[in-house]
Amino acid sequence: MACVHYTFASKLNFAIATFDGRHISLGDLKKQIMGREKLKAAKCDLQITNVKTEEKYTDDNALIPKNVSVIVRRIPIGAVKSTSKADAIRRTEPVMGTSTVTDDSSASLFLAQLTKTANLAEANASEEDKIKAMMSQSGHAYGPVN
């Protein structure tokens, strides 16, 4: 019998999920954990992260090797990233209080240009964008390149 050791982020003790073979799929592991912990799949989903490598398993068909320790986090169903067309359209609709829709590529390009600005106080950008640029600038000196 092979096993995967799992713990919830808020708990200290590990529990064991057993299975036959060398690997277990992420979907099967989630089902087994939900069954053992009496969680309802309609209310939440599980985010599984490898303890040693800090790799987040996202594909339900991904194979998790035996004797691995993982951290489990419950996340609301709405927080799960989906690739369906309806969800993609919903994400691009304007949020209340905003007047324009920006896609991720233009927003990241704008942020990259803003981080190169020397005086962010006088930049023509929203306060949130200025804060993001300031956070990026302050962490740049500690990046892997340096």
Side-chain angles (χ1 to χ4, degrees), residues 11-30:
K11 293 184 180 179
L12 296 175
N13 299 330
F14 280 85
I16 297 174
T18 58
F19 56 94
D20 292 326
R22 294 180 174 182
H23 309 286
I24 185 170
S25 70
L26 179 62
D28 291 340
L29 180 62
K30 285 181 180 181

Side-chain angles (χ1 to χ4, degrees), residues 2-145:
C3 64
V4 169
H5 301 273
Y6 71 91
T7 185
F8 283 87
S10 60
K11 293 184 180 179
L12 296 175
N13 299 330
F14 280 85
I16 297 174
T18 58
F19 56 94
D20 292 326
R22 294 180 174 182
H23 309 286
I24 185 170
S25 70
L26 179 62
D28 291 340
L29 180 62
K30 285 181 180 181
K31 287 177 190 173
Q32 189 171 3
I33 292 172
M34 286 186 151
R36 297 184 97 212
E37 302 294 330
K38 297 180 177 90
L39 300 172
K40 296 188 181 187
K43 293 185 178 181
C44 67
D45 193 23
L46 300 179
Q47 180 184 39
I48 310 288
T49 306
N50 189 319
V51 171
K52 289 185 180 177
T53 64
E54 296 181 7
E55 173 188 2
K56 290 182 181 177
Y57 298 106
T58 55
D59 183 18
D60 278 349
N61 295 324
L63 296 177
I64 301 172
K66 65 180 182 178
N67 300 327
V68 169
S69 298
V70 295
I71 295 176
V72 180
R73 288 183 177 84
R74 284 187 290 182
I75 54 175
I77 289 292
V80 177
K81 292 182 181 177
S82 150
T83 57
S84 70
K85 287 183 180 181
D87 288 336
I89 291 170
R90 235 180 271 126
R91 280 195 301 264
T92 58
E93 289 177 353
V95 179
M96 288 182 78
T98 60
S99 59
T100 60
V101 176
T102 58
D103 61 344
D104 292 338
S105 61
S106 66
S108 63
L109 180 63
F110 176 70
L111 186 60
Q113 291 173 347
L114 197 58
T115 56
K116 295 176 183 175
T117 303
N119 188 359
L120 289 173
E122 295 178 3
N124 186 14
S126 70
E127 199 65 30
E128 290 178 13
D129 290 338
K130 289 179 185 179
I131 291 171
K132 287 178 186 175
M134 182 268 312
M135 297 296 286
S136 177
Q137 285 176 348
S138 66
H140 183 70
Y142 301 103
V145 174

